[in-house]
Amino acid sequence: IFGKGGELDFGDGSPTVNLRSEALLVLEQDLGNMVGIVQFQIDHTYPANGVYTLSYLEANRNAGILNMNNSVETTFYIETLLIIDPFLGCNNTPVLLIPPVDDACVGAIFFHNPGAWDADGDSISYKITIPKRDKGTDVSSYRFPNDETFGGTTEDGDLPTLFEINPITGDIMWDA
């Protein structure tokens, strides 16, 4: 129901994995309004200690995204760094507990917090970056939501409009 899936690369030279055909489907849930959750499980053994870049590449994004050109033909890419070093001990990746499924209202400030939680109690910091369409390749013609080409004012009628993230709490604010 959510397409054919994308390619997972473990970053160690092993073949990429098509999640739809080679991983265990754990959850597929339609949340309505063209939003869904798909969760897969796959086991992988790394050949040695080292630093690996895990990545996921999917064929396209939703149509009609306004702050990039030709969104439906633009690949979706994310990555994370995995460090395997027995001298560092165990360290968990933070988990985002609040899905980014929100409705905003025209003329009102929009807020979202990803609800990041780290099982190890590590500090977490946040930064907004330009989305990627492939490893080391930004989305073409990306514009942040507060770009002046979109016009508008803040909720109070001021300029410029604002789009920012609190680097400590993770609160995202878009006032446009």
Side-chain angles (χ1 to χ4, degrees):
I1 128 177
F2 294 107
K4 57 185 176 180
E7 298 290 323
L8 180 65
D9 185 336
F10 292 102
D12 62 357
S14 62
T16 60
V17 173
N18 180 294
L19 292 179
R20 276 282 173 201
S21 60
E22 301 173 60
L24 174 65
L25 178 62
V26 175
L27 173 69
E28 185 169 32
Q29 183 178 6
D30 185 349
L31 301 177
N33 201 25
M34 297 179 53
V35 176
I37 298 172
V38 180
Q39 185 178 23
F40 296 95
Q41 178 181 325
I42 191 165
D43 293 325
H44 181 76
T45 302
Y46 281 88
N49 296 336
V51 178
Y52 303 96
T53 301
L54 283 82
S55 62
Y56 175 78
L57 180 69
E58 192 170 294
N60 52 27
R61 297 168 188 259
N62 294 343
I65 298 174
L66 300 178
N67 60 336
M68 68 176 68
N69 293 344
N70 200 16
S71 61
V72 76
E73 297 297 326
T74 302
T75 53
F76 175 83
Y77 175 86
I78 56 174
E79 67 182 27
T80 190
L81 198 63
L82 174 65
I83 301 171
I84 300 174
D85 184 337
F87 296 108
L88 294 177
C90 292
N91 191 17
N92 293 286
T93 299
V95 177
L96 304 180
L97 300 175
I98 302 172
V101 180
D102 301 292
D103 289 317
C105 296
V106 174
I109 297 174
F110 168 79
F111 291 98
H112 177 79
N113 185 296
W117 175 75
D118 186 87
D120 306 310
D122 295 336
S123 64
I124 300 172
S125 62
Y126 303 84
K127 177 182 172 185
I128 293 176
T129 63
I130 296 173
K132 304 285 184 213
R133 62 184 173 97
D134 209 336
K135 185 175 181 78
T137 309
D138 292 341
V139 165
S140 300
S141 302
Y142 181 80
R143 296 170 308 282
F144 285 100
N146 64 320
D147 189 284
E148 63 187 34
T149 60
F150 297 117
T153 63
T154 65
E155 185 178 65
D156 295 333
D158 297 332
L159 287 173
T161 59
L162 303 170
F163 180 70
E164 58 192 26
I165 191 166
N166 182 308
I168 298 168
T169 66
D171 290 330
I172 298 168
M173 184 202 57
W174 182 19
D175 188 358

